[in-house]
Amino acid sequence: MEIPGYKIEREIGKGGMARVYLALHKALNRKVAIKVLNRQLDSDSQHSDRFIREARIVANLTHPNIVTIHDVGEHDGHNYIVMELLPSGETLSDKIKAGVDNQYALSIVRQVATALKAAHEKNIVHRDIKPENIMFRKDGSVVLMDFGVARSVDSATIQVTRAGQIIGTPHYISPEQAKGENIGTYSDIYSLGVVFYQMLTGKVPYDADTPIALVFKHVSEPVPRFAGDLAVYQPLLDRMMAKTLDRRYSNCDQIIADIDSIEAGK
């Protein structure tokens, strides 16, 4: 594969929609990551439009905890996004498998909340907050990735399924997403609560044999309970994962304030 201005070195990741390559930006002599839409999807306008929309959304979200976009384009039938390189390639999923310290878990939630605050202030809902979409720089700071299914709050009505697929990830989907209702910034907050629970316990709060059964557990099952020393974090989890919007945090500033209080020992 060739992209003008870049020297492709090797593949460093792949998913259902795209592959990611390590590359050198020749003019700046800078290492970058290039995300290339899978060739069979390039001819599908829905997928290619989503791919380009992701680049435009993230390019307008300048924030230290959101991945930086350098370029976007199309060459020889390939749609691509050029973004900052995260050399470790480590995701929060990798950290959870190794075990996450309670204080570090709070720090991660706070950093993701600040990233979401920046997105929400521009009326963008991420819609797919999960450990695989949270990565880290060398200094340990959080980088929120993959805005491929993000939507403007003004157009954030979704269905549980589209073309046979659930929008969002079943283990992290909010009750309103599960029910096909209007979603908003509060939906990302619920998903972040699920991630918080998983960091502290090493497991997701709900599981089931089928995706549909799983998403309806998010609707009907109570908020999971922390045991032992983790009980101090229960009020935070309760407000992040509340089933009804009147009980859930309405914005990320509230999460950040409560985490600051916890860290201050209040």
Side-chain angles (χ1 to χ4, degrees):
M1 175 182 298
E2 294 185 1
I3 295 178
Y6 299 92
K7 179 183 177 182
I8 305 294
E9 297 188 358
R10 59 185 171 87
E11 182 180 307
I12 57 175
K14 62 181 178 180
M17 285 189 61
R19 294 174 182 268
V20 181
Y21 297 89
L22 170 65
L24 176 70
H25 185 200
K26 297 176 183 178
L28 297 178
N29 193 33
R30 176 173 62 188
K31 297 283 188 178
V32 296
I34 301 183
K35 185 177 182 179
V36 181
L37 186 65
N38 288 340
R39 193 61 181 264
Q40 63 268 30
L41 299 178
D42 276 311
S43 59
D44 184 328
S45 61
Q46 180 181 354
H47 286 94
S48 59
D49 289 350
R50 178 193 294 179
F51 191 78
I52 298 303
R53 184 179 67 247
E54 175 188 0
R56 290 172 177 166
I57 287 173
V58 182
N60 285 286
L61 295 177
T62 303
H63 189 274
N65 295 117
I66 296 177
V67 64
T68 300
I69 299 296
H70 298 307
D71 192 13
V72 60
E74 183 271 337
H75 177 70
D76 194 25
H78 291 286
N79 287 287
Y80 65 87
I81 302 172
V82 182
M83 62 186 72
E84 70 171 296
L85 177 67
L86 301 173
S88 72
E90 186 179 32
T91 68
L92 180 54
S93 182
D94 299 321
K95 287 188 179 294
I96 289 172
K97 290 175 184 175
V100 180
D101 172 81
N102 296 352
Q103 292 302 313
Y104 190 31
L106 276 180
S107 172
I108 291 171
V109 170
R110 193 186 192 285
Q111 290 179 73
V112 175
T114 62
L116 287 174
K117 170 180 161 66
H120 294 168
E121 286 176 347
K122 289 184 178 282
N123 292 325
I124 298 299
V125 183
H126 188 284
R127 297 205 308 171
D128 199 18
I129 300 298
K130 59 184 178 181
E132 291 80 4
N133 287 340
I134 299 168
M135 297 185 69
F136 300 86
R137 295 191 179 92
K138 282 185 176 180
D139 63 2
S141 61
V142 164
V143 184
L144 183 59
M145 310 286 293
D146 201 344
F147 284 74
V149 296
R151 284 289 188 280
S152 164
V153 172
D154 296 332
S155 60
T157 301
I158 73 161
Q159 301 297 319
V160 175
T161 61
R162 180 180 298 165
Q165 294 184 338
I166 291 175
I167 303 300
T169 304
H171 280 108
Y172 305 92
I173 200 168
S174 69
E176 54 275 12
Q177 281 177 283
K179 292 186 288 186
E181 298 176 348
N182 288 356
I183 66 170
T185 56
Y186 42 79
S187 306
D188 285 342
I189 289 171
Y190 180 92
S191 299
L192 182 56
V194 176
V195 172
F196 180 48
Y197 180 87
Q198 188 178 6
M199 280 193 287
L200 293 183
T201 67
K203 60 184 180 181
V204 290
Y206 312 117
D207 208 352
D209 293 332
T210 67
I212 294 298
L214 177 55
V215 298
F216 281 106
K217 280 194 173 185
H218 285 285
V219 175
S220 60
E221 294 289 321
V223 177
R225 310 303 297 175
F226 285 132
D229 293 342
L230 296 180
V232 66
Y233 304 115
Q234 192 65 49
L236 183 63
L237 185 73
D238 285 344
R239 289 198 65 193
M240 293 179 78
M241 288 189 64
K243 306 296 179 177
T244 58
L245 301 185
D246 61 324
R247 295 189 176 187
R248 194 183 309 166
Y249 287 115
S250 60
N251 60 66
C252 289
D253 280 328
Q254 296 169 343
I255 299 173
I256 294 166
D258 278 357
I259 289 176
D260 288 346
S261 293
I262 292 172
E263 291 180 330
K266 297 180 182 178

